[in-house]
PDB file of all heavy atoms in Angstrom:
ATOM      1  N   ASP A  15      89.294  84.644  90.113  1.00  0.00           N
ATOM      2  CA  ASP A  15      89.604  83.365  90.742  1.00  0.00           C
ATOM      3  C   ASP A  15      91.113  83.233  90.879  1.00  0.00           C
ATOM      4  O   ASP A  15      91.832  83.265  89.878  1.00  0.00           O
ATOM      5  CB  ASP A  15      89.062  82.236  89.869  1.00  0.00           C
ATOM      6  CG  ASP A  15      89.277  80.866  90.490  1.00  0.00           C
ATOM      7  OD1 ASP A  15      89.983  80.792  91.517  1.00  0.00           O
ATOM      8  OD2 ASP A  15      88.751  79.898  89.935  1.00  0.00           O
ATOM      9  N   ALA A  25      98.917  83.874  83.973  1.00  0.00           N
ATOM     10  CA  ALA A  25      99.600  84.669  84.993  1.00  0.00           C
ATOM     11  C   ALA A  25     100.497  85.714  84.342  1.00  0.00           C
ATOM     12  O   ALA A  25     100.581  86.858  84.805  1.00  0.00           O
ATOM     13  CB  ALA A  25     100.422  83.757  85.896  1.00  0.00           C
ATOM     14  N   GLY A  48     101.722 114.890 108.253  1.00  0.00           N
ATOM     15  CA  GLY A  48     102.804 115.362 107.412  1.00  0.00           C
ATOM     16  C   GLY A  48     102.915 114.529 106.162  1.00  0.00           C
ATOM     17  O   GLY A  48     102.512 114.948 105.083  1.00  0.00           O
ATOM     18  N   VAL A 105      85.628  99.079 110.827  1.00  0.00           N
ATOM     19  CA  VAL A 105      85.797  98.284 109.611  1.00  0.00           C
ATOM     20  C   VAL A 105      84.840  98.702 108.490  1.00  0.00           C
ATOM     21  O   VAL A 105      85.257  98.806 107.330  1.00  0.00           O
ATOM     22  CB  VAL A 105      85.667  96.780 109.915  1.00  0.00           C
ATOM     23  CG1 VAL A 105      85.728  95.958 108.640  1.00  0.00           C
ATOM     24  CG2 VAL A 105      86.776  96.344 110.877  1.00  0.00           C
ATOM     25  N   ILE A 160      94.550  96.244 104.651  1.00  0.00           N
ATOM     26  CA  ILE A 160      95.151  95.217 103.798  1.00  0.00           C
ATOM     27  C   ILE A 160      94.073  94.286 103.255  1.00  0.00           C
ATOM     28  O   ILE A 160      94.066  93.937 102.064  1.00  0.00           O
ATOM     29  CB  ILE A 160      96.225  94.430 104.572  1.00  0.00           C
ATOM     30  CG1 ILE A 160      97.424  95.332 104.887  1.00  0.00           C
ATOM     31  CG2 ILE A 160      96.675  93.200 103.791  1.00  0.00           C
ATOM     32  CD1 ILE A 160      98.451  94.705 105.812  1.00  0.00           C
ATOM     33  N   GLY A 178     105.386 101.864 108.453  1.00  0.00           N
ATOM     34  CA  GLY A 178     105.624 101.373 109.801  1.00  0.00           C
ATOM     35  C   GLY A 178     106.472 102.359 110.570  1.00  0.00           C
ATOM     36  O   GLY A 178     106.354 103.569 110.410  1.00  0.00           O
ATOM     37  N   LYS A 243     118.031 113.217 116.107  1.00  0.00           N
ATOM     38  CA  LYS A 243     118.835 113.721 114.999  1.00  0.00           C
ATOM     39  C   LYS A 243     120.249 113.150 115.046  1.00  0.00           C
ATOM     40  O   LYS A 243     120.819 112.761 114.016  1.00  0.00           O
ATOM     41  CB  LYS A 243     118.896 115.248 115.040  1.00  0.00           C
ATOM     42  CG  LYS A 243     117.615 115.942 114.631  1.00  0.00           C
ATOM     43  CD  LYS A 243     117.792 117.447 114.648  1.00  0.00           C
ATOM     44  CE  LYS A 243     116.557 118.175 114.143  1.00  0.00           C
ATOM     45  NZ  LYS A 243     116.738 119.644 114.155  1.00  0.00           N
ATOM     46  N   ASP A 256     112.732 111.639 101.526  1.00  0.00           N
ATOM     47  CA  ASP A 256     113.549 110.425 101.645  1.00  0.00           C
ATOM     48  C   ASP A 256     112.705 109.169 101.479  1.00  0.00           C
ATOM     49  O   ASP A 256     113.219 108.103 101.115  1.00  0.00           O
ATOM     50  CB  ASP A 256     114.228 110.380 103.023  1.00  0.00           C
ATOM     51  CG  ASP A 256     115.150 111.565 103.270  1.00  0.00           C
ATOM     52  OD1 ASP A 256     115.814 112.002 102.317  1.00  0.00           O
ATOM     53  OD2 ASP A 256     115.187 112.051 104.413  1.00  0.00           O
ATOM     54  N   PRO A 259     110.460 108.266  97.271  1.00  0.00           N
ATOM     55  CA  PRO A 259     111.045 107.453  96.192  1.00  0.00           C
ATOM     56  C   PRO A 259     111.015 105.955  96.477  1.00  0.00           C
ATOM     57  O   PRO A 259     110.913 105.143  95.553  1.00  0.00           O
ATOM     58  CB  PRO A 259     112.490 107.963  96.102  1.00  0.00           C
ATOM     59  CG  PRO A 259     112.465 109.312  96.699  1.00  0.00           C
ATOM     60  CD  PRO A 259     111.438 109.246  97.794  1.00  0.00           C
ATOM     61  N   ALA A 265     105.848 100.651  94.362  1.00  0.00           N
ATOM     62  CA  ALA A 265     104.610 100.747  93.608  1.00  0.00           C
ATOM     63  C   ALA A 265     104.802 100.521  92.112  1.00  0.00           C
ATOM     64  O   ALA A 265     103.821 100.343  91.388  1.00  0.00           O
ATOM     65  CB  ALA A 265     103.974 102.115  93.831  1.00  0.00           C
TER      66      ALA A 265
END
Side-chain angles (χ1 to χ4, degrees):
D15 183 352
V105 175
I160 292 172
K243 287 182 176 180
D256 300 323

